[in-house]
Amino acid sequence: MLPRSFDTLFRSAQAFVFACVLGACRQSSPPVPPDHPAYFDKVYHRLDSLAVPPLQAFHYLDSLYAAFPSPGILDRTRLYDYKGFFYFYHARDLPNTMRYVDSSLDLLSGSDARKAYPQQYARALINKGEVYQYQQDYDNALLYYFRGRQAMERLDDSCTMAEYTQRLAMVSYRQRRFATARNFFGQALREYAACGPQFNAFAYVQSNLDNIGMCYAALGRWDSAAWYYDSTLSYLDKAGQRYTGDTAHRSYLETARAVVYGNQGDYSLHGHDTTRALFLYKESVDINLRPRHDSDNALSVLVKLAGLEVALNDLGGARTTLVLSKAVLDGRPSRDAWMGWTRAQAAWLGKTGDWQAAAAAQQAWMRAQDTINNNAGPVATINFPDELQNLEDRYTIELLRQRDRVKTISLILIIPIVVLLFVIILLIRRGTRRSADYIQQLNSLNGALKTENQHTQLAINAMNETQAAYLQTLRVVAHDLRSPVGAISSAINLLCTEPGFDEETRMLLSLIQEASQQSLQLVGEVMRLDLPLGALHKEKVDLSSLLASCVSTLRFKASEKRQLVRFETEPITLYIDRQKIWRVIINLLDNAIKFSAPESDILLRSFRENGLAVITVTDKGIGIPKHLEAQLFTLENQGKRSGTAGESSFGLGLVIIRQIVQSHGGNITVDSVEHVGTTFRIELPIVSE
């Protein structure tokens, strides 16, 4: 069980994530200063080659940074990482480690800094989680691991994500969950292997090959462990060749090889090959006791070597090894190494006959072991990967709930719009009925007064012309309303097929669907009722943008028949009436969708030809019979046909299209083969204002 409730921890993570989403993380921060990687690369490379003591190295770096005019954020976090690495891995000083991790996070906390250095920010969060884990503050450890994982996932970078996987592997190994650790080490190995030839990726690949071997050894599968140890050495021989020209890299390669020798010594000892075990342990120690090598690993192997020498009754050699390891241990305190050394010392004292000193050493070891067991706390019962996955699942569920609330609000906002549209259509319908009554009354009056004087006749004719213009305009409006209302209907139909909505939402969607269908029916009735064009309002229009808007408007209607509208264009600017040309393209695309079979393609193109802007709409539909082509652009066209899905046709759009195109000084033609398809071609002059 965790020391603090999981719900409290989840609310902490949730508060952090949603605060950032809502803008609380957008701190006002000064502009990000430039970094100087070329200069500081040389500084750190020179420092690594000198192998000076840590405190002297810190003093050198502090004086250099103080003299440098304006180090950037990456320059400064590099210094904090350098010091934090020493305090964490060598001095085992967790408070100082946390101080430098916090310093890095403070530099990276501004929104501009996080955007400029997302990998460094994510890595700092993971580092802080790891320090909290060593401090046995498991609530905060989980929280910062979670925050680091969220930051890394947003990068969509497997190399950065590998660092997170590596930390989970190390956590699992320390908790003695060796099978889980083996899986994570394998995943991290694959992620680092995809990162390219960087030395950091190479180092982690070889390290994880060795780590997998250590997991198998801990599980008692020694043959598998030996295979991975051999694979590590083979990888160092082949892939490490490119790094031998650098002094620091050479030291690393030697150190890595020495670590594997020590692990191979364990394998040999398990197989009772004590001669080879002694040889491998000594080879490992000889290498890692050199400057700029891994003295921590050398200390661990020295303790094993001393124990083996005691077991083989080489008491003189064991004495020398114990003295040497004690000297190293005094300079680099390590609880685990001290425990091993104390046990080996007790065994040596027992074999030399100093039973009192041996008993004292054995009791000291037992007291230390009891202290370790008593202070272990809940770490052995906390499965960090599982707990982090639980936290991720809770966060995902809450995020989905938030999205559902947003969808509900959107639907609530859409309903008044649909209701308003429905009211407008009702008013149009009422106006249409009244207009029909007015026409009937005027016709009756016209028949009764026909025999009267010419003046009255002229007046009546004028009234008829006015009324006809009104009706024509009304039909144009109704015709243009049909496409957007149809698009709304198609979108709602798609939403109705989506799973995951609750009963109330589905009821609201059903109401919207019914209202949109009624709207389409009403528009159709208005269109069954003859068309002046009106004045042109020309402006400079980007043709590509206009055509893209048309495709976007009808995409739901096309998807309803599983059709694909393809779009090919080139940059052209025209001086046109945007709304009227938009109406032209919408009508042509609507017809192409209507008269094309389901799952077919429709192609909308624009290009230049002979000084003209050419727009074509091509479908693979039912085509137009030759005897109907001459009537397409006239009001006398009564050969209306239904669409491939039974859609109604009113034969009015092409009349409007021709009027609009000709009013712009253009031309429209049709080329059609029945049962094959149709292409409408519009030519518009390219003229300046």
Side-chain angles (χ1 to χ4, degrees):
M1 298 297 292
L2 293 176
R4 187 172 61 179
S5 72
F6 188 83
D7 286 339
T8 304
L9 176 60
F10 171 71
R11 285 194 293 271
S12 300
Q14 178 187 350
F16 165 77
V17 174
F18 285 106
C20 290
V21 172
L22 297 174
C25 291
R26 297 173 185 166
Q27 305 171 10
S28 58
S29 56
V32 177
D35 294 303
H36 310 84
Y39 174 78
F40 284 103
D41 281 347
K42 295 178 181 177
V43 169
Y44 284 97
H45 185 77
R46 182 171 182 272
L47 191 61
D48 289 339
S49 65
L50 293 176
V52 297
L55 295 180
Q56 185 178 340
F58 292 171
H59 178 72
Y60 168 74
L61 287 172
D62 289 339
S63 61
L64 189 144
Y65 271 81
F68 195 82
S70 55
I73 290 178
L74 190 60
D75 302 330
R76 295 164 65 189
T77 58
R78 194 169 183 178
L79 173 63
Y80 299 147
D81 289 346
Y82 184 89
K83 293 183 177 181
F85 182 89
F86 165 76
Y87 283 116
F88 186 74
Y89 288 102
H90 297 285
R92 309 298 185 190
D93 185 342
L94 295 180
N96 268 323
T97 303
M98 183 67 82
R99 182 160 63 93
Y100 286 109
V101 171
D102 285 337
S103 297
S104 293
L105 278 175
D106 185 58
L107 283 175
L108 297 165
S109 61
S111 59
D112 291 338
R114 288 201 307 273
K115 291 177 183 177
Y117 309 104
Q119 293 178 330
Q120 288 77 10
Y121 176 67
R123 189 178 297 116
L125 291 171
I126 295 294
N127 287 342
K128 187 161 185 174
E130 187 167 20
V131 178
Y132 271 129
Q133 188 215 343
Y134 272 88
Q135 291 177 333
Q136 298 188 11
D137 186 348
Y138 302 113
D139 291 326
N140 278 318
L142 282 170
L143 176 61
Y144 277 91
Y145 274 131
F146 174 75
R147 289 174 59 179
R149 175 178 173 178
Q150 291 290 315
M152 287 181 175
E153 286 178 342
R154 285 192 288 270
L155 296 175
D156 193 24
D157 177 15
S158 63
C159 295
T160 305
M161 200 64 191
E163 297 189 30
Y164 174 79
T165 308
Q166 187 77 23
R167 304 299 176 89
L168 290 186
M170 296 303 298
V171 169
S172 300
Y173 189 87
R174 286 194 295 268
Q175 293 180 318
R176 306 184 66 80
R177 302 177 190 273
F178 300 116
T180 302
R182 174 200 59 197
N183 295 334
F184 278 121
F185 280 130
Q187 180 181 340
L189 186 151
R190 292 187 294 273
E191 290 170 343
Y192 277 118
C195 293
Q198 297 92 341
F199 181 78
N200 184 61
F202 159 80
Y204 273 112
V205 169
Q206 73 81 23
S207 174
N208 284 330
L209 283 170
D210 188 54
N211 290 338
I212 294 172
M214 292 174 63
C215 290
Y216 277 119
L219 292 169
R221 297 173 59 180
W222 287 97
D223 289 342
S224 297
W227 188 89
Y228 274 97
Y229 295 152
D230 291 341
S231 298
T232 307
L233 293 177
S234 177
Y235 182 77
L236 286 169
D237 289 336
K238 295 178 182 178
Q241 290 297 322
R242 66 171 69 97
Y243 305 111
T244 56
D246 181 272
T247 303
H249 291 167
R250 281 200 305 274
S251 297
Y252 176 85
L253 294 172
E254 293 170 356
T255 298
R257 188 176 298 278
V259 171
V260 179
Y261 288 160
N263 292 334
Q264 288 183 321
D266 295 341
Y267 169 73
S268 298
L269 186 60
H270 174 77
H272 306 293
D273 188 350
T274 55
T275 301
R276 180 162 177 77
L278 282 170
F279 171 76
L280 289 169
Y281 283 157
K282 290 178 180 180
E283 282 291 306
S284 176
V285 169
D286 287 344
I287 295 173
N288 272 341
L289 281 180
R290 299 172 189 170
R292 299 197 300 274
H293 290 66
D294 191 350
S295 57
D296 285 342
N297 182 262
L299 177 59
S300 174
V301 177
L302 274 170
V303 171
K304 295 177 185 178
L305 177 59
L308 178 57
E309 289 172 335
V310 171
L312 295 175
N313 290 318
D314 182 5
L315 301 183
R319 175 59 180 167
T320 302
T321 304
L322 286 169
V323 171
L324 176 59
S325 57
K326 185 62 168 65
V328 177
L329 184 61
D330 290 342
R332 306 186 65 82
S334 168
R335 183 191 66 186
D336 293 339
W338 182 86
M339 294 283 292
W341 183 90
T342 302
R343 196 165 194 180
Q345 174 79 352
W348 181 83
L349 289 170
K351 287 204 172 187
T352 58
D354 192 347
W355 301 108
Q356 184 175 2
Q362 185 67 20
Q363 289 176 359
W365 179 86
M366 293 175 64
R367 286 194 299 271
Q369 187 64 48
D370 290 340
T371 301
I372 292 173
N373 294 334
N374 294 333
N375 294 336
V379 66
T381 63
I382 299 174
N383 190 322
F384 269 77
D386 288 349
E387 294 296 342
L388 286 167
Q389 187 59 51
N390 290 337
L391 195 59
E392 176 74 11
D393 292 343
R394 292 285 299 275
Y395 164 73
T396 302
I397 292 170
E398 184 61 26
L399 186 60
L400 290 174
R401 288 175 179 169
Q402 293 286 341
R403 290 176 177 173
D404 285 342
R405 285 195 283 270
V406 171
K407 289 180 180 178
T408 301
I409 294 172
S410 300
L411 287 174
I412 292 173
L413 294 175
I414 289 173
I415 290 174
I417 298 174
V418 175
V419 171
L420 180 61
L421 181 62
F422 183 67
V423 171
I424 292 173
I425 294 173
L426 288 176
L427 292 175
I428 293 174
R429 184 177 180 183
R430 181 183 297 176
T432 302
R433 290 177 177 175
R434 289 181 179 178
S435 298
D437 293 338
Y438 292 154
I439 293 172
Q440 187 177 0
Q441 292 174 16
L442 289 172
N443 288 335
S444 298
L445 289 173
N446 186 51
L449 298 175
K450 206 171 190 180
T451 57
E452 294 189 7
N453 56 59
Q454 186 68 31
H455 181 74
T456 303
Q457 184 63 47
L458 291 174
I460 292 173
N461 289 341
M463 291 178 65
N464 284 333
E465 291 173 359
T466 302
Q467 189 62 36
Y470 170 73
L471 290 175
Q472 291 169 352
T473 303
L474 190 60
R475 289 187 64 185
V476 171
V477 171
H479 184 276
D480 289 346
L481 279 174
R482 190 172 186 277
S483 291
V485 173
I488 294 174
S489 178
S490 299
I492 293 301
N493 288 338
L494 285 175
L495 278 176
C496 287
T497 64
E498 291 291 326
F501 294 109
D502 56 29
E503 194 62 28
E504 181 180 359
T505 303
R506 289 197 172 277
M507 182 185 71
L508 293 175
L509 289 172
S510 178
L511 291 174
I512 297 171
Q513 185 181 33
E514 181 180 356
S516 62
Q517 292 296 330
Q518 291 177 357
S519 300
L520 283 173
Q521 182 180 352
L522 291 175
V523 170
E525 290 178 9
V526 172
M527 293 183 65
R528 293 187 179 91
L529 284 179
D530 288 283
L531 292 171
L533 181 63
L536 297 177
H537 301 285
K538 293 186 176 182
E539 57 181 319
K540 288 185 178 180
V541 175
D542 177 20
L543 183 58
S544 298
S545 175
L546 177 64
L547 298 183
S549 172
C550 296
V551 172
S552 178
T553 300
L554 292 178
R555 71 182 187 277
F556 288 111
K557 186 170 184 180
S559 65
E560 196 173 23
K561 297 177 73 173
R562 303 183 301 281
Q563 296 169 340
L564 175 64
V565 180
R566 294 189 293 113
F567 179 35
E568 299 177 3
T569 184
E570 65 181 66
I572 302 174
T573 301
L574 298 177
Y575 191 66
I576 56 175
D577 186 319
R578 180 186 181 90
Q579 295 300 323
K580 288 184 169 58
I581 295 299
W582 183 88
R583 185 191 307 174
V584 168
I585 306 304
I586 285 292
N587 274 283
L588 291 178
L589 284 175
D590 183 74
N591 286 341
I593 295 169
K594 183 188 304 178
F595 295 112
S596 294
E599 300 183 353
S600 60
D601 290 353
I602 297 166
L603 176 61
L604 174 62
R605 296 181 60 214
S606 68
F607 53 93
R608 299 173 185 266
E609 183 176 291
N610 299 327
L612 298 174
V614 180
I615 306 169
T616 63
V617 179
T618 303
D619 64 54
K620 299 176 182 178
I622 62 177
I624 303 170
K626 291 297 181 184
H627 70 277
L628 292 180
E629 287 187 6
Q631 302 177 14
L632 285 178
F633 303 102
T634 65
L635 287 171
E636 290 76 27
N637 175 23
Q638 298 302 321
K640 307 175 183 66
R641 300 183 295 167
S642 298
T644 57
E647 302 99 319
S648 300
S649 175
F650 302 95
L652 187 62
L654 293 177
V655 180
I656 301 170
I657 288 171
R658 186 176 188 181
Q659 291 182 9
I660 293 174
V661 172
Q662 289 180 345
S663 69
H664 283 79
N667 186 37
I668 180 170
T669 59
V670 62
D671 180 17
S672 181
V673 177
E674 193 171 7
H675 307 304
V676 175
T678 302
T679 297
F680 283 90
R681 176 186 174 100
I682 299 171
E683 299 176 349
L684 295 172
I686 301 176
V687 297
S688 59
E689 182 177 352

